[in-house]
Every structure is written in C-alpha cells, then in structure tokens.
Amino acid sequence: MPKETALPDLPNITPKALELPDQARLSRPFSTHRPRILLLHGSLRERSYSRFLTQEAARLLEHFGAETRIYDPSGLPLPDGAPTDHPKVKELRELSLWSEGQVWTSPERHGAMSGVMKSQIDWIPLAVGSIRPTQGRTLAVMQVSGGSQSFNAVNQMRVLGRWMRMLTIPNQSSVAKAYQEFDPEGRMKPSSYYDRVVDVMEELVKFTFLTRDVSGYLTNRYSERKEGAEKLEARVKLKAI
C-alpha cells in the first residue's frame, strides 16, 4: 500500500484520503475466464442494420475468445415509465453487472443516436446502492447510417460512456449506407467497413484483458475516498459522545 504523503504545499488535501499511484497494484494475475461482453443495439426494426452489425460483432468477439450476450430492447419501457423491477429493466441491469465490457451500436437518426439506444443507457443508472453497473468496464461504440458516413452517434455514445465511468476504447466503427453493406440474410459483406469492425472488436478484447482485473483500482478516486473518510470520522465522533 502507498504510504500517506507529506503535504506541506497542499493545504486543501485530506491526507488520509490521498494515495500515491502504486504500479504494483496494476500487476495482478490475469483472470482465466472468457471476457464477458454485453452488446446493445438501437433499433426495433425487423430488418435492423444496427442489430445485424451487433450480431456480426458478437461472432467476432466469440472468435476472439469472449463470452457474449445480446440484449433485445423489445418491450423495454421508456425511462421512468415503469418500476425498476420491470422484467426487461432487471434483465438489462443484471447483464450490465455481469459484463466486463460492452458494445453499443446505434443507427443515426436526425443526427443523433436513436431513442431506443438512449433508453437502454438511461435505464442503467450510475449507481444502484453502492454498486455501479458500468464503472470500469470497457466500451466500444459503433453506428450505422442510411446516408454518407457520419460520427454523430458514436461521438454522443462516447460522451455517455465517459458519464457512465466506462473505459471507451480509441477505435470505433461507422458504417455508411448500411443498406448496401448487408446481404439478404443480414450478414455483413466484405469491405473496409467490415475490416474496421474486426479491428474494433479485436481492440475491445485486448483492452478488456488489460483492465478487467484492475478496473476497481483504476476507477478508485480521491474525492470518493475523501467523502468516505469524512463520513467515517463523523460516525466515530458521534459514537464518542
């Protein structure tokens, strides 16, 4: 454990909550189970290109050694439109907790991610009690477009991934004119777009391998340790009265 630091020039710091970064804590033995990846897609259409792209991604992830789950958003109520014990909400939250990494794939509609995609993310809270269903998990983002290539949806999902305290990988995929990129059976055709999807899934598995065993340490924050220390100090003072 890092020693408590001397703080002559940091008068605003709470010493008990401050830790020096410890490289040794990033050198834990690797887990041996398959990386657990949850995939979300943002369309309910029968011929949904975001679902086709998600399924293609799942096939690649399975080949790269991951265990995958694709969540079906059909029947998921609007955020705040049902209690949190609704079966589809419970399923989504349990899958998020199960996951070590996630893939979010949305169509771009009106220059933004779809409402179906946003609803799924909105149902996953930042915290449930003391548990954060997404913190420290890796994330890959992809989108499909009906017209020319755009990055509006993936950029928005990156913002949301950061807000959900996820580790969003550098690479991403944006498939333009998606109706041209899938065959009648919903399989993606060979193309540079397909090659990019392979790149993204390969990178996601690598980053998940790298971070999943130390995600708790990577996302451990001074501000939260300080808050915890202050609460503990107040409780001890109350007991002493």
Side-chain angles (χ1 to χ4, degrees), residues 156-171:
Q156 287 185 323
M157 289 188 287
R158 282 189 176 277
V159 171
L160 286 171
R162 184 174 70 244
W163 194 258
M164 302 299 283
R165 300 182 175 183
M166 303 179 80
L167 305 172
T168 308
I169 67 170
N171 217 337

Side-chain angles (χ1 to χ4, degrees), residues 18 31 49 111 118 130 148-149 157 165-167 171 214:
L18 188 67
S31 295
Y49 298 111
K118 184 61 162 59
S130 61
S148 59
Q149 191 172 41
M157 289 188 287
R165 300 182 175 183
M166 303 179 80
L167 305 172
N171 217 337
V214 294

Side-chain angles (χ1 to χ4, degrees), residues 25-33 100 136 207-218:
R25 296 181 68 179
L26 296 171
S27 302
R28 297 183 59 183
F30 288 124
S31 295
T32 57
H33 65 272
E100 296 169 326
F207 271 80
T208 305
F209 278 142
L210 182 66
T211 62
R212 64 176 178 174
D213 295 304
V214 294
S215 63
Y217 180 60
L218 289 172

Side-chain angles (χ1 to χ4, degrees), residues 216-235:
Y217 180 60
L218 289 172
T219 55
N220 188 290
R221 295 172 174 81
Y222 163 76
S223 60
E224 294 176 350
R225 293 194 300 271
K226 176 184 174 184
E227 181 183 8
E230 289 174 345
K231 289 181 179 179
L232 176 61
E233 184 176 358
R235 187 164 67 250

Side-chain angles (χ1 to χ4, degrees), residues 102-115:
Q102 297 188 16
V103 179
W104 295 353
T105 305
S106 178
E108 180 172 319
R109 292 183 179 168
H110 303 295
M113 77 180 77
S114 69

Side-chain angles (χ1 to χ4, degrees), residues 141-190:
V141 293
M142 302 193 295
Q143 75 170 73
V144 293
S145 303
S148 59
Q149 191 172 41
S150 170
F151 300 95
N152 290 325
V154 289
N155 288 339
Q156 287 185 323
M157 289 188 287
R158 282 189 176 277
V159 171
L160 286 171
R162 184 174 70 244
W163 194 258
M164 302 299 283
R165 300 182 175 183
M166 303 179 80
L167 305 172
T168 308
I169 67 170
N171 217 337
Q172 62 187 25
S173 170
S174 174
V175 180
K177 297 181 180 178
Y179 58 88
Q180 295 180 350
E181 299 302 323
F182 295 87
D183 66 21
E185 286 71 43
R187 295 303 305 267
M188 196 170 186
K189 301 174 184 177

